[in-house]
Amino acid sequence: MPVSLLALALSAFAIGTTEFVIMGLLPEVANDLQVSIPSAGRLISGYALGVAIGAPIMALLTARLPRKRTLVLLMSIFIVGNILCALAYSYNLLMLARVITALCHGAFFGIGAVVAASLVAPGKQASAVALMFTGLTLANVLGVPLGTWFGQLFGWRATFWGVSVIGVLAFIGLIVSLPVNKDEKPVHLASEISALANGKLWLSLAMTVFFAAAMFALFSYIAPLLLDVTGISDRGVSWTLFLIGGGLTVGNIIGGKLADWRVSFSLILSFTLIAITSLLFSWTSHGLLLAEITLFIWAMATFATVPGLQINVVRHGKDAPNLVSTLNISAFNVGNALGAWVGGAVIDGGYGLTAVPVAAAVLAVIGLVICLITFRGSRAQTQAACA
């Protein structure tokens, strides 16, 4: 295993922690800044939109830089953004700091995934991407529950100071371990943009949007659901987030293996399981044991989807891997924002917290339909070519 993959995974861990830990700290942030839970939830949407808008812009602005230098620069922005989050004393300032932090997110994961795939043989590229994204899943296994516990104990700002320290360690790791690719060809903006004319690419990006929307419609409001519906304690929320992180990790590994074997099968299976488990959780959330089992399976299904989505997008935009890979992260965060908004709208509409998983299931079904359309077209083209 290349050491540089571990540096990328550590960076992904830091970025994933700062993105997701706010979900476990929503009650603390809302109480401290004197805003409602749905308003605090919009910090998730604000971050996601910052990624969605900033990712392609940052990818184009850094297109002519070597990938190593770009990743180091993006991690620098990440550190500054988290320090600003820790210093924010009002809701508006925290929102601004979250958006600044988000600017590095999409481009880092997009370009980092391309770098990770370039470090291994072609047949192992999905597994290499999955290994990098293991840092993201470990953010949910360790970063989110520990960050939630730390924030509950010492105040939510302390969590962002901790993430800043992890960011510094990742920054050093990138400088020391990432190889300089002397054969790296300069990127031509015209060819990068022309690659966007592929219709299958946009269907693939739409799949990512609805996958993320289905995930975050539920995940964004997991703490209130567990506290008010399942009836567990603050400490119980941290342990459940730890359990979810374990499911995400297992799912990410399985998803990488499945995507190396057959991308279409891995994505269709994952979307189906996300829809089923989300719908089930609207019922099982009332009981602790069934809720925990459902959430673990749901978590496995969600992150089993990630490697396949990333590889699928790059395949359809192979002439512009940096840009399309980054656009996929943008699509993920458009879905993040959409999901958090849908969940908040369901709550504000008076349907209750248990209606949130139902909305997540509907979003997953839409993603499944797009997935089936995309790969049905691919099979038809293959059959026509062989005829």
Side-chain angles (χ1 to χ4, degrees), residues 281-314:
F281 188 64
S282 66
W283 172 66
T284 61
S285 59
H286 293 281
L288 178 60
L289 180 60
L290 288 177
E292 301 287 297
I293 293 172
T294 305
L295 286 174
F296 184 80
I297 298 172
W298 170 83
M300 286 180 58
T302 53
F303 259 49
T305 317
V306 173
L309 288 171
Q310 187 71 22
I311 292 299
N312 188 51
V313 164
V314 173

Side-chain angles (χ1 to χ4, degrees), residues 95-119:
M95 179 68 81
L96 176 61
R98 293 278 290 170
V99 171
I100 291 173
T101 308
L103 291 176
C104 77
H105 182 124
F108 189 96
F109 275 109
I111 297 170
V114 174
V115 171
S118 71
L119 296 171

